[in-house]
Every structure is written in structure tokens, then in C-alpha cells.
Amino acid sequence: MVKNNLNVKGMSCGHCISAIEASVGKFPGVTSVKVNLDSGTVEVEFNPDEVTLDSIKETIDDQGYDVQ
């Protein structure tokens, strides 16, 4: 498993948390997704043999958030 902290801009409410956690959590190999609005980060734990970090970033970006 790999744990990665992503800096994400544009998150501001409970809907943002739900949207990101639900969409990223659907990927096979993702075991944990934690959104922190105060720090503007998304912590993702995943198996790189099943899903790539780029795929995770793209999914967050597709929802209108800016992944740094």
C-alpha cells in the first residue's frame, strides 16, 4: 500500500468531502480517502498495482477541483 497526501484547491464544504471520498473510494485498490478542508488536502491510501496516482488525481480534477 502507498499513502499519498494531495494538495487540492477549491474544496469548501461537506459536499466536497462526500464527492471526493465517494468518487476516489470507488477505485479498486483504494483502501482509504480522507479529505481535510482546513489544510486543503486529500490523503489517499491505495495499491499501486490496482490504480495509479494519476487516475486518482484525474478523478478529483474532473469534479472541478485543482490538484496541485
Side-chain angles (χ1 to χ4, degrees), residues 24-57:
V24 174
K26 288 181 183 177
F27 277 110
V30 172
T31 57
S32 174
V33 183
K34 296 177 186 169
V35 175
N36 185 318
L37 293 179
D38 293 332
S39 64
T41 59
V42 176
E43 180 185 278
V44 183
E45 188 171 353
F46 64 98
N47 181 341
D49 292 333
E50 295 184 58
V51 63
T52 66
L53 183 58
D54 285 341
S55 295
I56 293 168
K57 288 179 177 180

